[in-house]
Structure formats: C-alpha cells, structure tokens
Amino acid sequence: YVAKEKRLPCALYTQQQNRYSLLRLSLMSELRGAIARGELVLFYQPKLAIKQGKIISVECLVRWQHPVHGMVNPDDFIPLAEKTGNIRYLTLWAIDTALAQCQRWQNEGKLLDVAVNISSVDLQDASIVDYVQHTLEKYQLAPARLALEVTESAVMLDIEKAIAMLTQLHDMGVRLAIDDYGTGYSSMAQLKRLPVDELKIDKSFVMDLSHNRDDTIIVRSTIELGHNMGLKLVAEGVENQDILTLLGQYQCDIAQGYGIGRPMPSDKFEQWWQQYHLS
Ligand code: C2E
Ligand code: MG
Ligand code: MG
Ligand code: MG
C-alpha cells in the first residue's frame, strides 16, 4: 500500500491525465481541509421495508458543499481520495457523522438504522474496526444500528483481508451489505465466505425492470439465491411505483430509489419522513 502511494505522482500525470481533470486534482488537495472546515455533509436516502410499508433505515451519502464549485457528488472525489489515501479521513468522518445523527433520531423516538459506505482501501485498514467500536460506544448505540456497505469488487481486491476485517465487525454486531451486487466478478462461492447480511442488487438491473426481460430474470434469480443463503435483498434504483410493485411480487425485502425518496439533507429528510408516514 505504501509502495502504491509512492508511485502515485507518476500515475497521476501519465495514464490518468485524461481520467482526472484538474478540477478533481485541486479538489483532492483540499479534501482534508474541507473536512476540517465542515464542507462535507451527509445526505440521507430512505430504505423502505416493502412488506411492512415502513422506512426502517437510511443510506448515508456524502456531498461536498464546495465554496467555489457548489455541490460536488462523491463520484467526483471518492475515486481520487481512494488513490491518495485520504479516503480514510472521509470514512472516519462519515461513520462519526452518521452515528451522531442516528443517536439524535433515537433521542427523538425515530428508530432509523444507518448505512455507511466504505471503500476497498478501508478494508486494508484494520484500525477502522476499533474506530467503529469506539464510535458506537461514544453515541451509546447498539452495533446493529449500523450497516456498512462495501462493493463486491472492493471485497475481491484482497478477499482474505476483507474476510478478516468484516468478520471482526460482524462479530461486534455490525451489519454488512454487499453494494452494487451483480456488477463485479465475485462468485457465490466467494461471497459465501463473507459474513454478509444484505445483498444490494445494483440499480442497473432494477431501473428498467418493468420493461426488460433479462433484468427480470436476473433480479428474480438473485432474490431467490440470496434468500436461500439467508440474506436480505435490497433493490437500489427503484425509480417508480411499477418497479416497486414488481419487487414486492418477487419478495424483495427492501427498496431504495428516487421513486421512494431521493438522498436529502437531514432536515429535509425528517420532513419527508413525517409526510411519508402520514399518507
Ligand atoms: P452507492 O453506494 O451505490 O449509492 C447509490 C447511488 O445511487 C447514490 O449516488 C444515489 O444517489 C444513487 N441513487 C439512488 N437512488 C437512485 C435511483 O432511483 N436512480 C438513480 N439513477 N440513482 C439513484 P451518489 O450519492 O452520487 O453516490 C455514488 C457512490 O459514491 C455511492 O454509490 C458510493 O459508492 C459512493 N459514496 C457515497 N458516499 C460515500 C461515502 O461516504 N464513502 C464512500 N467510501 N463512498 C461513498
Ligand atoms: Mg451504497
Ligand atoms: Mg449501490
Ligand atoms: Mg455505486
């Protein structure tokens, strides 16, 4: 990992010249400062338990309120933060911020679990485990209130290390989700070795579910396979009511997408949540 970091400058200015714009490079040097200045915020996107018709949890998604560039989305700074090692600070910030919010909601009688995304780089950093434990204690939250989302490709980068770390987190009681499921190259045989609770079917299979026969087959068989393995199934990218109805028919457990609610800042989310349970 250290060696990778040392190779970075040359990697950045040669092959990657086209992939990373100057804007992204300048953003990167600012990221740690941005955390200190409080320019990062979490948006919260509702996750709906389909059968119960209730919002049971939220996914926490980072946004950068940049003083010059406006609202910057994570796809524009997370990949580089991963390359430079700065992702660690973002991850620690996201865990603390999400759990602080979870505690505030709990104190107001709103029972909402929180899900935080962690990157492949975080899976190489064993100190994250202690940090999670420490932060759960700091906010006096049961570990099961927190879910960590990690993509299958992140896990496959070094599956032995990932298993070791995810097992420690899982033994603590933290829940684990495989994100963007279906877009990586993991086999069920490999996934079976991970202490996973939830599979999140990637939105590319869900968004056209009502029109695309292949997607229908993929989504239905993934739900069946996941259930047979004792996992909860989440569909991301649920953009309309038709898709939600189909997912209910297919026995999918949880739905997330613009058709239910967009990612929102905490105050907007709270208003939305109250409305949702009134109607
Ligand atoms: P993800 O974890 O798969 O998050 C879902 C992404 O899909 C979010 O994009 C969300 O806004 C978007 N989305 C939700 N519903 C719909 C829908 O119905 N249709 C469509 N087209 N999109 C939908 P976002 O917020 O831009 O985040 C992109 C990715 O950035 C995330 O993908 C995640 O991998 C990463 N990310 C976000 N926050 C964090 C973070 O705090 N830490 C790390 N390591 N990664 C993060
Ligand atoms: Mg996610
Ligand atoms: Mg995803
Ligand atoms: Mg994604």
Side-chain angles (χ1 to χ4, degrees), residues 185-202:
Y185 298 96
S186 55
S187 68
M188 266 295 153
Q190 288 168 309
L191 281 186
K192 231 176 73 181
R193 302 179 55 210
L194 294 165
V196 169
D197 305 284
E198 220 175 63
L199 280 190
K200 299 191 76 177
I201 305 172
D202 190 68

Side-chain angles (χ1 to χ4, degrees), residues 59 117 149 179 200:
E59 178 171 5
N117 293 280
E149 298 192 0
D179 208 347
K200 299 191 76 177

Side-chain angles (χ1 to χ4, degrees), residues 141-169:
L141 292 167
R145 307 298 305 282
L146 174 67
L148 296 175
E149 298 192 0
V150 55
T151 63
E152 47 172 342
S153 38
V155 167
M156 292 312 145
L157 273 184
D158 186 341
I159 187 163
E160 300 307 327
K161 257 206 178 137
I163 289 172
M165 182 164 162
L166 295 176
T167 302
Q168 284 186 53
L169 287 161

Side-chain angles (χ1 to χ4, degrees), residues 23 64 87 119 123 129 131 137 163-164 188 199 202 234 249:
L23 166 64
W64 186 344
I87 189 72
S119 95
L123 289 177
V129 176
Y131 184 82
E137 281 164 11
I163 289 172
M188 266 295 153
L199 280 190
D202 190 68
V234 183
Q249 286 166 11

Side-chain angles (χ1 to χ4, degrees), residues 75 151 179-180 202-203 236:
D75 288 333
T151 63
D179 208 347
D180 302 350
D202 190 68
K203 54 178 172 284
E236 27 171 67

